[in-house]
Each structure stands twice: as structure tokens, then as C-alpha cells.
Amino acid sequence: MRHQVYFPVRIGDQIVWLRNFKIKLPTHATTLALDAGDVTAILLDVDTAIYGLDTYRGALAPASSACYQCIEVALYGDNVVGNVAWQGFTPPAGAPAAVANGCMKRVFTYIGDKIKTATGYNPAIGEDLGVEGTVAAAPPPPGSTAPDFDLRSTTDGKMEVLWRKNQFDGVRMEFDLGAAGIKSDIDLRPNYTLNWLPPAGQSVIIKVRLRYLYKGEDFGTWSDWQQWTLTGL
């Protein structure tokens, strides 16, 4: 149910898709003989997904793994009782009215059960709504696939991770900062700067590893650890 061939892989493209669907659905509702109340409800689900992927996600700080999980539950939560709850910090203004978790699952079900089965539906309407589509090229076999990446210094003494996107959504990253512990983050567009330095005058050897994300899931294996020395300024 979750991975629809018409729904983009990259989060930025998903936001564009959702905004187009939000604008176009009301214009086709009469032709498709859709119930007005159902359309209103599904558009609220769409607004929730846009808020979560764009406004809320855009306000997250690095290493906010619990907040990324909050987005996952809001959009795709399986058997998660209760309404969407934006957790971890005070969410940005503009959150839609509360809906039950799993808003994108309801959107996909509505497209399959109501829109595409409507008597008035045709491929032209589907293209306008963005619900037609072709199967994307298959990724490499997951068994041994791991990201290639390099490390380099930024102009302000921090560390930049240079990685190759290929056909994947992005990468999951882990940083072993020694006594400062483990930090994790997700990056969807190369390249990534670690916003962390040790205390002034101290040097720390940190370790970094990456794993690909594909269609919202971990894919393949973790890369080997690479090391880099950071010195506090």
C-alpha cells in the first residue's frame, strides 16, 4: 500500500506532488462524482502530510531522530491509535486540524478506491492529478549496496560529508563523537555538514558511516567507518 509508483521518492518532489494534488482534486471532483465531505477529509490529510514533510521537518535540528519517527507515524503509521501529534519541540505555526495517524495511507486508499474507480476517471485526469505513473528503475541488489562517501573540511573548520545520491532517496548517517556520544541524522540531498565541534582547543577523532534510504526504508548495508579529526575553535 505504501509505495505507490506515482508517488515520488524524494521528499522535495513529494511535497510538490501533494500541493498539485491539493489544487487539482477539487477541479475534478464533480466529473468524478466524489462526495464533497470525503474530498474535504482527504484534503485535510494532504495538508497534514505537507505540513509534516515541509514546515515541521524543515524546523528540525540535526539528530532529531524521534521527530523523524513522528513524521513517519503521522504519514504511514500502522495500527497507531490516536491523532497526529507533532512532538519533540514546539511545532511551527500553521499545523492543520488534528487527524488520525496514517494520513498518506488514507490518501493512497482514496485514490485507488474512489478516484481511479470513478466512472468519469480517465488517464488525462490521472495525469493532471499525478496518480498515473510508471515503475521506477529497480535499485541494485540490497545485500552489499553501501554508500561511497568522502570527508573534507569546511571553511569554518567543520566537517562535510560528500556522498553520491544515485537512484536512492538519501542516506542515514551515524557519527561517533567519542566522549560526546553517537549522533545520527538523515540527509536527502548531497552534501552534508556536521554542525558540531569539540570544545575550543580540543581535538577529537570522530568516525562516520552511512546507509542508503530507498522509498522511505533503510536499504543495503552500512558503509565502513571513516575517521576525521575535528578541532574546536
Side-chain angles (χ1 to χ4, degrees):
M1 169 56 65
R2 177 175 168 186
H3 303 316
Q4 305 297 321
V5 296
Y6 54 77
F7 193 60
V9 170
R10 295 171 57 180
I11 287 181
D13 295 334
Q14 291 176 3
I15 296 168
V16 173
W17 184 96
L18 287 161
R19 287 175 173 160
N20 175 76
F21 186 81
K22 175 183 176 179
I23 292 170
K24 298 295 181 58
L25 182 60
T27 69
H28 296 294
T30 300
T31 301
L32 298 174
L34 300 175
D35 179 82
D38 289 346
V39 171
T40 298
I42 213 66
L43 290 178
L44 181 55
D45 281 333
V46 170
D47 281 337
T48 300
I50 293 171
Y51 178 86
L53 292 174
D54 190 11
T55 308
Y56 177 78
R57 189 181 183 283
L60 296 185
S64 302
S65 57
C67 295
Y68 285 108
Q69 182 62 30
C70 170
I71 298 173
E72 182 77 6
V73 170
L75 270 62
Y76 302 109
D78 289 315
N79 301 318
V80 181
V81 177
N83 290 341
V84 170
W86 305 111
Q87 303 173 354
F89 65 104
T90 301
V99 297
N101 288 306
C103 61
M104 283 308 301
K105 294 181 67 178
R106 292 191 294 276
V107 171
F108 295 151
T109 298
Y110 185 75
I111 290 169
D113 292 354
K114 298 294 184 180
I115 293 177
K116 290 195 169 186
T117 61
T119 303
Y121 181 82
N122 58 54
I125 291 176
E127 290 287 350
D128 199 36
L129 291 172
V131 299
E132 295 288 313
T134 57
V135 178
S144 59
T145 301
D148 292 321
F149 67 99
D150 297 303
L151 305 174
R152 70 180 180 188
S153 292
T154 65
T155 55
D156 56 356
K158 296 179 181 178
M159 184 194 72
E160 185 176 18
V161 181
L162 301 108
W163 59 277
R164 293 87 176 166
K165 188 175 181 71
N166 300 325
Q167 68 267 58
F168 299 99
D169 299 9
V171 290
R172 186 182 303 279
M173 299 173 289
E174 284 191 353
F175 302 92
D176 184 345
L177 307 179
I182 300 290
K183 290 186 179 292
S184 62
D185 204 354
I186 290 173
D187 194 24
L188 303 177
R189 297 191 179 186
N191 291 305
Y192 178 89
T193 298
L194 176 65
N195 189 26
W196 181 86
L197 285 172
Q202 296 185 20
S203 294
V204 173
I205 297 175
I206 68 171
K207 295 191 294 184
V208 187
R209 67 174 183 170
L210 276 61
R211 188 176 186 179
Y212 277 125
L213 297 171
Y214 183 71
K215 290 187 179 294
E217 306 287 348
D218 290 346
F219 185 93
T221 61
W222 285 102
S223 69
D224 293 333
W225 290 97
Q226 291 195 41
Q227 294 187 348
W228 192 260
T229 300
L230 283 175
T231 301
L233 303 177

